[in-house]
């Protein structure tokens, strides 16, 4: 059981519908586990704020199909209800898989193209792919703001495109009036497709966004009021009699994912930067560090006066350091402490926003320059160009996390670029869905640093956190850092 909330395209209101469902369930004191298809960080923050439980990403590119099944089985069984928010349109995915070198004909065969003799790419890692992997029914969200009778053509197309996808019903979003709703219902009647929800055009429910998507939860002062309005919406706009049985979480046949991880000989304390500037972390990565015996010490490079005491490693996730560049720059004691610790040899992971913080400076969208930690001899410059996509990255040298020649799969999503490229880069990168070379990137000098724009999910790569903690233990016995 459980449901997938899918859209007929991006921007139709999947997140609003998902949050309204989650908020209404929590108002009823129901225990619900949420999931998000794809590599997104921000939507899961909203899920977690509503449910009180960490949202889990389901992404077979960053992990594997088996991991997606195991992750869902493990976490969905710990709650009464489970809900998966999709990504983009239902069938929007990437071409190919990790089987490099296969021909076009094989790719189409692997995709099990639902339209015989058609030239179509795969929908690998799409919402439809996840629904098939988990054998879950789909609720299709349709933006009705600019259509009436045509809604039936859209619904019929999605219903019939792939016979393996079970469309449980539709949610009609942005309905303008009773007359508008009547036209929509009349058009859909012949399809015998249940209408599971009707959302009118909402002027009082808006989640602000900016250059990388929604504004994260930590920055929204009126977030609780927004969630209450979403709960009100959920209480009144859905057919709960039909929805609740579909949302019920039941045991699944996939064995839960319990990685066989060695326990370290002693406890390692890792300083994890988590505040409004740095908050892009996959919960599974943090879980893996803890399962390996690490103690995670959360702290704020924005607010704190110093690095946490007695730590043997640092982890800077992605986020929005460019938005808070002035405040980061003004916290000179922390900037100096971070640089000193790294130059003394403290193992440090810095992904995307973390990489930017380790640069000499960040130059913001207005061209203003703000000094940062100064570990890397380059500057991060904000611009209008968006770098986005999955990456296949091959390690060019032994580094803090992986050995030379190791292939990892990650995701880039940023609007900054560096003024200088590293002389000894960490990775040679390619697009995931073709062999287009994306160049070399990543800083591994000093050798105790892993600084890269590529976000990694460690779910299928337990050796990465193991290697990181091994290096932390190695240096912990030789010096006192803080």
């Amino acid at each position: 059981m459980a449901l997938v909330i899918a859209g007929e395209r991006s921007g139709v209101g999947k997140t609003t519908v998902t949050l309204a469902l989650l908020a209404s369930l929590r108002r009823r004191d129901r225990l619900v586990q949420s999931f998000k298809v794809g590599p997104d960080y921000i939507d899961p923050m909203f899920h977690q704020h509503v449910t009180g439980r960490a949202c889990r990403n389901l992404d077979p590119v960053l992990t594997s199909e088996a991991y997606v099944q195991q992750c869902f089985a493990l976490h969905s069984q710990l709650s009464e209800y489970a809900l998966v928010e999709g990504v983009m349109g239902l069938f929007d995915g990437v071409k190919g898989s990790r089987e490099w070198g296969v021909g076009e004909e094989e790719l189409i065969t692997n995709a099990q193209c639902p339209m015989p003799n058609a030239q179509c790419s795969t929908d690998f890692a799409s919402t439809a792919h996840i629904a098939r992997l988990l054998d879950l029914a789909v609720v299709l969200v349709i933006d009705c703001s600019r259509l009436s009778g045509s809604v039936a053509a859209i619904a019929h197309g999605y219903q019939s495109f792939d016979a393996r996808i079970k469309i449980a019903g539709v949610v009609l979003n942005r309905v303008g009036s009773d007359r508008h709703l009547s036209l929509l219902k009349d058009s859909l009647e012949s399809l015998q497709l249940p209408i599971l929800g009707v959302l009118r055009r909402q002027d009082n429910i808006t989640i602000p966004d900016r250059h990388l998507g929604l504004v994260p939860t930590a920055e929204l002062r009126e977030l609780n009021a927004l969630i209450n309005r979403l709960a009100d919406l959920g209480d009144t706009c859905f057919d709960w009699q039909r929805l609740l049985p579909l949302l019920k979480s039941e045991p699944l046949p996939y064995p839960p994912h319990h990685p066989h991880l060695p326990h370290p000989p002693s406890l390692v304390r890792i300083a994890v930067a988590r505040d409004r500037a740095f908050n892009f972390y996959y919960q599974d990565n943090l879980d893996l560090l803890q399962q390996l015996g690490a103690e995670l010490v959360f702290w704020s490079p924005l607010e704190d006066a110093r690095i946490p005491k007695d730590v043997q490693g640092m982890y800077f996730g992605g986020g929005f350091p460019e938005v808070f560049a002035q405040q980061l720059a003004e916290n000179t004691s922390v900037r100096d402490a971070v640089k000193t610790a790294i130059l003394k040899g403290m193992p440090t992971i810095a992904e995307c926003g973390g990489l930017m913080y380790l640069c000499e400076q960040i130059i913001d969208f207005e061209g203003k320059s703000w000094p940062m930690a100064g570990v890397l001899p380059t500057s991060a410059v904000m611009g209008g160009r968006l770098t986005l996509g999955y990456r296949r990255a091959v390690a060019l040298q032994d580094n803090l996390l992986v050995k030379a020649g190791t292939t990892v799969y990650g995701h880039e999503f940023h609007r900054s670029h560096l003024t200088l490229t590293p002389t000894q880069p960490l990775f040679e990168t390619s697009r995931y869905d073709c062999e287009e070379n994306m160049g070399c990137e990543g800083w591994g000098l000093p050798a105790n640093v892993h600084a890269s724009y590529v976000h990694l999910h460690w779910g299928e790569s337990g050796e990465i956190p193991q290697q990181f903690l091994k290096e932390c233990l190695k240096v912990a016995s030789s010096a006192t850092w803080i």
Side-chain angles (χ1 to χ4, degrees):
M1 304 296 284
L3 277 178
V4 177
I5 304 300
E8 25 99 6
R9 63 185 184 278
S10 291
V12 299
K14 291 188 305 294
T15 300
T16 298
V17 170
T18 299
L19 292 177
L21 288 166
L22 294 176
S24 185
L25 285 168
R26 287 300 299 140
R27 179 176 279 180
R28 302 162 189 234
D29 292 324
R30 304 298 178 94
L31 193 62
V32 57
Q33 175 65 53
S34 71
F35 300 85
K36 172 65 182 179
V37 178
D40 183 49
Y41 290 102
I42 300 178
D43 285 354
M45 295 180 195
F46 284 87
H47 290 208
Q48 181 169 348
H49 184 86
V50 174
T51 67
R53 301 173 67 86
C55 175
R56 305 289 168 161
N57 290 77
L58 303 176
D59 193 319
V61 174
L62 300 183
T63 58
S64 70
E65 291 178 318
Y67 185 87
V68 167
Q69 292 173 325
Q70 294 162 353
C71 177
F72 184 81
L74 174 63
H75 296 289
S76 64
Q77 292 176 34
L78 302 176
S79 61
E80 299 175 79
Y81 300 98
L83 187 64
V84 180
E85 180 183 353
V87 62
M88 300 177 67
L90 177 57
F91 297 102
D92 296 329
V94 295
K95 185 176 181 179
S97 67
R98 293 190 180 182
E99 300 295 329
W100 284 84
V102 297
E104 180 70 17
E105 183 177 345
E106 292 174 275
L107 285 175
I108 291 176
T109 301
N110 291 342
Q112 296 178 298
C113 179
M115 301 175 67
N117 303 317
Q119 292 294 322
C120 65
S121 61
T122 76
D123 61 359
F124 192 82
S126 69
T127 305
H129 182 196
I130 300 303
R132 293 194 302 267
L133 275 179
L134 304 178
D135 192 26
L136 299 181
V138 170
V139 171
L140 184 67
V141 180
I142 301 176
D143 179 358
C144 302
S145 59
R146 292 177 175 83
L147 55 84
S148 56
S150 298
V151 70
I154 295 172
H156 175 68
Y158 279 85
Q159 188 180 33
S160 60
F161 183 76
D162 186 343
R164 299 166 297 170
I165 300 298
K166 299 173 292 186
I167 304 291
V170 296
V171 169
L172 307 179
N173 192 24
R174 298 169 186 150
V175 176
S177 64
D178 290 343
R179 173 60 177 162
H180 187 198
L181 178 59
S182 178
L183 292 171
L184 295 168
K185 286 182 174 180
D186 289 346
S187 180
L188 289 167
E189 187 175 4
S190 62
L191 298 182
Q192 297 183 332
L193 194 60
I195 297 174
L196 299 176
V198 175
L199 281 67
R200 304 296 180 120
R201 291 174 187 167
Q202 302 292 325
D203 295 327
N204 65 334
I205 298 180
T206 302
I207 304 175
D209 59 7
R210 58 178 176 227
H211 56 281
L212 291 183
L214 298 179
V215 175
T217 54
E219 298 181 49
L220 299 179
R221 295 181 179 179
E222 304 297 325
L223 180 58
N224 288 332
L226 171 65
I227 299 304
N228 283 333
R229 291 196 295 272
L230 286 165
D232 292 339
L233 188 67
D235 289 346
T236 57
C237 293
F238 296 115
D239 185 344
W240 285 104
Q241 188 172 355
R242 282 175 165 170
L243 278 171
L244 279 179
L246 296 172
L247 287 163
K248 192 71 175 178
S249 181
E250 295 183 358
L252 294 171
Y254 320 116
H257 184 76
H258 293 294
H260 299 289
L261 301 175
H263 194 75
S266 61
L267 188 68
V268 179
R269 283 167 52 88
I270 305 298
V272 181
R274 189 163 70 178
D275 56 18
R276 291 170 296 156
F278 306 100
N279 45 38
F280 289 5
Y281 296 97
Y282 294 122
Q283 184 62 41
D284 290 9
N285 287 7
L286 301 178
D287 290 349
L288 278 168
L289 288 172
Q290 292 177 314
Q291 290 167 18
L292 284 162
E295 178 186 351
L296 305 184
V297 184
F298 296 104
W299 71 293
S300 172
L302 283 172
E303 305 289 348
D304 292 341
R306 56 177 297 160
I307 296 172
K309 293 182 178 180
D310 302 321
V311 295
Q312 293 82 42
M314 294 188 292
Y315 186 4
F316 294 89
F320 291 98
E322 67 274 17
V323 175
F324 302 97
Q326 180 175 354
Q327 191 174 346
L328 288 169
E330 291 172 349
N331 197 346
T332 55
S333 61
V334 163
R335 287 196 290 112
D336 292 343
V338 166
K339 182 175 183 178
T340 298
I342 290 175
L343 294 182
K344 284 185 177 181
M346 182 177 289
T348 301
I349 299 171
E351 285 189 340
C352 200
L355 175 152
M356 295 167 64
Y357 182 63
L358 296 192
C359 291
E360 291 180 342
Q361 58 187 348
I362 289 176
I363 301 173
D364 65 20
F365 286 109
E366 298 177 352
K368 296 180 180 179
S369 177
W370 306 100
M372 293 292 122
V375 175
L376 308 178
T378 186
S379 298
V381 183
M382 301 306 302
R385 181 176 177 270
L386 175 64
T387 301
L388 169 67
Y390 289 112
R391 300 289 181 259
R392 176 179 182 259
V394 180
L396 297 173
Q397 57 179 303
D398 289 351
N399 58 70
L400 179 66
L401 299 185
V402 296
K403 300 294 184 183
T406 302
T407 298
V408 294
Y409 298 87
H411 188 262
E412 281 192 80
F413 190 37
H414 55 90
R415 290 191 184 273
S416 67
H417 68 274
L418 303 183
T419 54
L420 294 176
T421 56
T423 56
Q424 294 179 281
L426 294 179
F427 297 120
E428 181 177 14
T429 64
S430 303
R431 292 191 186 277
Y432 176 80
D433 54 357
C434 67
E435 297 196 49
E436 179 185 347
N437 189 289
M438 298 298 292
C440 297
E441 76 92 48
W443 294 75
L445 289 176
N448 53 298
V449 169
H450 179 102
S452 170
Y453 271 123
V454 179
H455 292 280
L456 299 177
H457 189 297
W458 305 334
E460 279 288 338
S461 306
E463 65 275 7
I464 289 178
Q466 290 178 44
Q467 176 63 25
F468 176 53
L469 295 184
K470 178 181 177 181
E471 293 301 315
C472 293
L473 283 170
K474 186 186 300 183
V475 301
S477 60
S478 62
T480 300
W481 300 107
I482 304 298

